[in-house]
């Protein structure tokens, strides 16, 4: 009986000894391996030279310098993403119209999205609040002294274009080639001021005077807020017995007040660095709110029916394109007759011939609320906006060369 406890103690001691000997052997082996010279690569076994197979095997054609299928897929994806980023609004308009056509009840008045609140108030106030944050008022002082150039731009944009548009539409209406609602839409588009962001971006990329473009974008839209609704009511009229006082009250609460709030918030936010590097984000946010207005408008339009055959729509596009081309030519010739330098002439051409969608769509929704053909009123403007962007982008390289040739 006395031997069993000693054997039970001896067994754990033997196991512990074996474990210690194994640890010593492992440490010795590791230490000797650390000081053992490595074999040359030429003498290494062939199996050790083989690298593990890649997760995605390359194509045999990759050795010829041609891209692999994976590389082609990455390139195509990057190209598509870049195109969508550069043409965000154009793609958004097409998507918004397609979604509205697919299921109009979702965005109609009184529908689940409640556009009479989310769009009429939320989107409209948001657009002008963001416009107030984006307007660089501190940079406009140095451009304010070019009074003659400002008069040319605003006179062309707010007087000459409406005049030529009204006369052209009157002739087409008398010939039976234009519907009254589309005539009203063309007149509405002609009465709108220039764009807020697009004319500045195109002037900069085309070698024009960016400061003058900024000044006239601000001046034109301030004049448009005050003058355009009055001219719309006088020349086109408004359904639903909407008085001028009601219109001005809605504009004051939905347009002027958010714009003023944005301007008041801009200096402290800019001083705190909140707006730094977020210009694109603010612009995309404004465009997204604008797309919501487009979507809601076309939901109501598709529920009532568009009322424009494809042939009529194609004819309207041709009319809008021809009128825009004639305005571009007239503005360029006017700049030459006025003796403007190339930079100022480019800014005149690109700023005076554009019409804003950011102000136009909210104004149309406010002034013509309740009119059953509101979608038709918006159609010329929705055609003009991508058209002027496309034409301006195509002209930009040529105009930039003209500005560079004149530069000292």
């Amino acid at each position: 009986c006395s031997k069993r406890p000693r054997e039970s103690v001896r067994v754990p001691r033997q196991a512990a000894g074996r474990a210690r000997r194994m640890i010593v052997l492992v440490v010795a082996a590791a230490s000797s391996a650390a000081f053992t010279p490595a074999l040359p690569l030429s003498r290494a076994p062939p199996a050790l030279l083989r690298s593990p197979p890649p997760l995605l095997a390359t194509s045999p054609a990759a050795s010829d310098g041609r891209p692999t299928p994976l590389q082609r897929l990455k390139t195509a994806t990057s190209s598509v993403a870049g195109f969508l980023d550069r043409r965000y609004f154009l793609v958004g308009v097409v998507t918004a119209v397609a979604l509205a056509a697919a299921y109009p009840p979702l965005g109609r008045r009184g529908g689940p999205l409640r556009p009479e609140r989310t769009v009429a108030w939320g989107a409209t106030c948001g657009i002008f609040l963001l416009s107030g944050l984006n307007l660089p008022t501190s940079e406009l002082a140095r451009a304010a002294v070019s009074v003659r150039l400002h008069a040319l731009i605003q006179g062309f944009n707010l007087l000459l274009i409406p005049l030529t548009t009204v006369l052209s539409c009157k002739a087409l209406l008398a010939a039976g080639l234009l519907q009254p609602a589309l005539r009203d839409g063309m007149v509405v588009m002609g009465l709108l001021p220039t764009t807020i962001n697009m004319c500045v971006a195109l002037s900069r990329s085309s070698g024009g005077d960016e400061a003058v473009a900024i000044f006239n974008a601000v001046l034109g839209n301030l004049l448009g807020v005050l003058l355009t609704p009055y001219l719309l009511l006088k020349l086109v009229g408004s359904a639903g017995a909407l008085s001028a006082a009601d219109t001005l009250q809605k504009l004051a609460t939905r347009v002027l007040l958010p714009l003023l709030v944005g301007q008041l918030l801009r200096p402290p936010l800019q001083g705190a660095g909140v707006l730094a590097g977020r210009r694109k984000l603010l612009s995309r946010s404004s465009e997204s709110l604008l797309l919501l207005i487009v979507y809601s408008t076309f939901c109501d339009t598709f529920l009532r029916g568009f009322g424009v055959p494809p042939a009529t729509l194609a004819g309207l596009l041709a009319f809008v394109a021809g009128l825009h081309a004639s305005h571009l030519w007239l503005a360029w010739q006017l700049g030459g007759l006025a003796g403007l330098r190339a930079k100022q002439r480019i800014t005149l051409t690109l700023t005076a011939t554009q019409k804003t969608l950011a102000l136009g769509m909210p104004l149309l929704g406010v002034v013509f609320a309740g009119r059953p053909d509101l979608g038709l009123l918006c159609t010329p403007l929705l055609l003009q906006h991508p058209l002027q962007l496309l034409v301006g982008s195509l002209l930009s390289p040529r105009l930039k060369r003209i500005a560079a040739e004149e530069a000292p």
Side-chain angles (χ1 to χ4, degrees):
C1 294
S2 59
K3 294 181 179 180
R4 289 181 180 176
R6 294 179 180 177
E7 292 177 355
S8 61
V9 174
R10 187 181 301 130
V11 172
R13 288 179 179 176
Q14 292 175 354
R18 285 195 297 268
R20 283 194 297 269
R21 285 193 296 270
M22 291 179 62
I23 294 173
V24 171
L25 289 174
V26 170
V27 172
S31 302
S32 62
F35 291 97
T36 302
L39 291 174
L41 291 178
S42 60
R43 296 183 181 179
L48 296 179
L49 292 174
R50 296 173 186 170
S51 59
L55 294 178
L56 294 174
T58 57
S59 172
S63 60
D64 301 337
R66 291 179 297 176
T68 64
L70 181 59
Q71 291 173 337
R72 287 197 293 267
L73 178 61
K74 289 181 178 180
T75 302
T77 304
S78 177
S79 300
V80 172
F83 174 81
L84 294 178
D85 182 66
R86 293 188 303 270
R87 299 292 182 262
Y88 172 80
F89 186 75
L90 297 182
V91 176
V93 168
V94 175
T95 305
V97 174
L99 291 175
Y103 189 64
L106 181 63
R108 66 176 177 85
R109 289 184 175 272
L113 295 182
R114 299 295 179 187
E116 61 273 8
R117 297 178 182 176
T118 58
V119 175
W121 282 95
T124 303
C125 294
I127 285 174
F128 288 101
L129 175 65
L130 293 173
S131 296
L133 291 174
N134 266 328
L135 290 176
T137 52
S138 60
E139 300 179 8
L140 303 179
R142 60 187 179 90
V145 296
S146 303
V147 178
R148 186 170 69 102
L149 180 56
H150 302 329
L152 284 175
I153 293 175
Q154 299 303 325
F156 192 99
N157 186 260
L158 295 175
L159 295 177
L160 184 59
I161 288 182
L163 178 62
T164 58
T165 302
V166 169
L167 293 177
S168 301
C169 291
K170 187 176 181 180
L172 291 179
L173 188 65
L177 299 176
L178 195 64
Q179 297 182 16
L182 292 177
R183 185 274 315 270
D184 292 346
M186 290 294 301
V187 174
V188 167
M189 183 186 70
L191 292 171
L192 292 173
T194 188
T195 54
I196 295 177
N197 295 323
M198 189 188 303
C199 67
V200 177
L202 287 176
S203 295
R204 180 174 59 249
S205 63
S206 303
D209 193 328
E210 184 180 358
V212 172
I214 292 174
F215 184 89
N216 281 275
V218 178
L219 176 62
N221 280 269
L222 290 177
L223 291 175
V225 168
L226 298 174
L227 297 178
T228 302
Y230 176 77
L231 295 175
L232 288 178
L233 290 170
K234 288 297 183 182
L235 295 179
V236 181
S238 176
L242 184 64
S243 66
D246 293 335
T247 301
L248 292 177
Q249 180 183 3
K250 291 179 180 179
L251 287 173
T253 55
R254 302 184 193 184
V255 177
L256 290 177
L257 181 60
L259 188 67
L260 178 62
V261 171
Q263 286 285 277
L264 293 176
L265 289 176
R266 179 180 170 84
L269 292 178
Q270 206 169 21
V274 176
L275 300 180
R278 290 181 171 86
R279 187 178 185 87
K280 184 176 181 180
L281 176 62
L282 294 176
S283 178
R284 286 293 164 83
S285 300
S286 179
E287 290 175 349
S288 299
L289 292 175
L290 193 56
L291 291 175
L292 183 60
I293 296 177
V294 173
Y295 169 72
S296 175
T297 300
F298 275 89
C299 282
D300 288 332
T301 299
F302 286 128
L303 280 176
R304 292 188 299 262
F306 211 101
V308 180
T312 304
L313 194 62
L316 179 63
L317 177 60
F319 177 45
V320 171
L323 203 58
H324 183 59
S326 64
H327 290 154
L328 286 170
W329 183 82
L330 285 174
W332 183 257
Q333 298 302 322
L334 178 62
L337 292 175
L340 300 178
R341 294 177 58 85
K343 292 183 63 174
Q344 297 176 334
R345 197 175 178 186
I346 290 169
T347 301
L348 168 67
T349 303
L350 294 176
T351 304
T353 58
Q354 294 195 1
K355 296 297 178 178
T356 175
L357 187 68
L359 178 64
M361 291 295 290
L363 279 177
L364 287 169
V366 172
V367 177
F368 299 105
R371 183 161 168 168
D373 55 356
L374 181 59
L376 291 179
L377 288 171
C378 299
T379 302
L381 183 57
L382 291 174
L383 293 177
Q384 169 75 14
H385 183 83
L387 177 68
Q388 64 190 11
L389 175 59
L390 177 62
V391 173
S393 301
L394 293 175
L395 291 176
S396 181
R398 171 62 177 165
L399 295 175
K400 192 171 186 177
R401 286 195 297 270
I402 293 175
E405 291 172 359
E406 189 189 70

